[in-house]
């Protein structure tokens, strides 16, 4: 029930976003969320639902996800509110090449001079402003200002800055280069595994069977779930706040409880739900394809 409700919400969000000017109605994508400290040098600087993360180091900062171009001033304000400088953003990363996570990257690159690093299979999408996307390449509302990629990442690559090491895990399907980021943070004497899930859901309209634009899409989703299930996770985060219950966990954190973002069980449950949703959709599409013959 909860899963279905969440999927329905995801579908609604996507529909609102892709049906022309209704984008503005999706206020969770543009409403500022209070920036806050998650753990160690890791901070939340996103909106109510579009998750952006700042990782600070003595050599400058790493920003994950640029969101919509309209959100960039808010991301900048959030970073400054936390006491850091937007100009210190040295590296720019994304969860995957969809406009709700990467449309603002061209602007952020211009404003900060940060090096933009993208997983190989998402590079053509980013560098064409969305035109090379297998699903939305011809949807005018899903296109955005293109940005040049400074470093092409491959599965397993490390991104290093000032003692921070982020690992890029290729978790494809949602986009061809969808990336799940992991790192380790230390709080007190404890080391925590952080997972920032790239995007495990099958969007409405995705063809998992006989997809000429992306023939291996179903195999890629399978691969992604194998990867997600293999990752050790203490601190569970993702490309959207809805993935990991941002608002409820933030409220719990405000009440001074133990850090609610440390949620290994929540992570496992979440991956299981997404995998089940994928298998359900695949079975449905296979059945429909067989009936068609
Ligand atoms: Zn997406």
């Amino acid at each position: 029930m909860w899963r279905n409700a969440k999927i329905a919400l995801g579908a609604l969000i996507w529909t609102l976003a892709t049906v022309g000017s209704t984008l503005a109605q999706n206020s969770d994508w543009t409403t500022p969320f209070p920036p806050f400290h998650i753990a160690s040098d890791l901070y939340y600087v996103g909106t109510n639902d579009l998750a952006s993360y700042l990782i600070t180091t003595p050599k400058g900062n790493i920003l994950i996800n640029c969101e919509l171009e309209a959100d960039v001033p808010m991301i900048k304000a959030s970073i400054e509110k936390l006491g850091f400088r937007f100009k210190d953003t040295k590296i720019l990363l994304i969860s995957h090449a969809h406009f709700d996570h990467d449309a603002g990257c061209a602007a952020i690159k211009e404003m900060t001079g940060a090096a933009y690093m993208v997983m190989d299979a998402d590079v053509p999408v980013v560098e064409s402003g969305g035109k090379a996307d297998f699903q939305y390449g011809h949807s005018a509302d899903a296109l955005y200002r293109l940005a040049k990629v400074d470093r092409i990442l491959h599965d397993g690559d490390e991104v290093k800055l000032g003692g921070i090491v982020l690992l890029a895990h290729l978790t494809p399907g949602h986009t061809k280069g969808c990336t799940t980021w992991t790192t380790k943070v230390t709080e007190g004497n404890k080391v925590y595994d952080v997972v920032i899930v790239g995007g495990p859901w099958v969007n409405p309209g995705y063809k998992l069977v006989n997809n000429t634009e992306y023939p291996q899409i179903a195999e890629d989703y399978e691969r992604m779930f194998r990867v997600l299930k293999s990752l050790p996770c203490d601190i569970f985060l993702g490309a959207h706040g809805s993935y990991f219950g941002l608002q409820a966990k933030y409220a719990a954190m405000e009440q001074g409880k133990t850090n609610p973002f440390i949620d290994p069980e929540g992570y496992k449950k979440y991956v299981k739900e997404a995998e089940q949703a994928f298998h359900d959709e695949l079975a449905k599409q296979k059945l429909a394809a067989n009936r068609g013959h």
Side-chain angles (χ1 to χ4, degrees), residues 32-220:
F33 195 79
F36 67 95
H37 175 241
I38 299 170
S40 188
D41 301 314
L42 175 61
Y43 300 84
Y44 187 86
V45 292
T47 70
N48 271 358
D49 184 56
L50 296 183
S52 292
Y53 303 95
L54 187 76
I55 302 165
T56 61
T57 92
K59 295 271 169 68
N61 305 330
I62 301 168
L63 181 66
I64 303 179
N65 290 331
C66 312
E67 308 181 9
L68 309 175
E69 189 154 7
D71 289 332
V72 170
M74 186 225 63
I75 295 174
K76 180 174 181 283
S78 292
I79 290 171
E80 287 164 354
K81 223 178 205 174
L82 290 167
F84 304 108
R85 295 193 324 180
F86 190 54
K87 278 236 176 254
D88 287 341
T89 308
K90 300 290 180 211
I91 295 175
L92 203 50
L93 307 172
I94 55 170
S95 291
H96 63 262
H98 278 160
F99 72 98
D100 48 333
H101 311 293
D102 70 355
C105 290
I108 295 179
K109 261 194 77 163
E110 283 168 9
M111 293 163 82
T112 65
Y116 192 16
M117 305 183 184
V118 177
M119 186 63 82
D120 41 21
D122 268 357
V123 170
V125 180
V126 161
E127 293 198 331
S128 66
K131 285 184 186 148
D133 184 79
F134 73 91
Q135 183 76 18
Y136 303 111
H138 302 290
S139 306
D141 298 312
L143 304 181
Y144 46 89
R145 193 137 72 88
L146 64 87
K148 182 96 188 65
V149 171
D150 300 294
R151 178 184 164 196
I152 299 171
L153 300 171
H154 307 286
D155 185 28
D157 274 358
E158 290 181 338
V159 170
K160 292 184 181 175
L161 185 71
I164 294 287
V165 182
L166 280 157
L167 258 167
H169 303 267
L170 175 64
T171 47
H174 185 81
T175 67
K176 293 180 180 178
C178 185
T179 308
T180 292
W181 291 100
T182 63
T183 189
K184 286 180 191 295
V185 297
T186 307
E187 276 269 291
N189 296 321
K190 275 195 162 172
V191 179
Y192 295 100
D193 284 301
V194 179
V195 178
I196 303 173
V197 176
W201 301 98
V202 178
N203 275 2
Y206 270 28
K207 277 183 78 175
L208 299 176
V209 179
N210 304 325
N211 188 331
T212 50
E213 298 292 316
Y214 190 177
Q216 78 283 14
I217 184 168
E219 289 82 356
D220 274 5

Side-chain angles (χ1 to χ4, degrees), residues 207 209-210 285-293:
K207 277 183 78 175
V209 179
N210 304 325
Q285 291 193 20
K286 275 185 174 166
L287 195 68
N290 288 336
R291 282 214 183 106
H293 283 286

Side-chain angles (χ1 to χ4, degrees), residues 221-240:
Y221 268 99
E222 302 275 9
R223 174 189 172 151
M224 171 193 57
F225 288 115
R226 278 198 302 276
V227 173
L228 291 185
K229 285 188 280 186
S230 76
L231 297 175
C233 175
D234 300 307
I235 296 177
F236 164 34
L237 303 168
H240 287 272

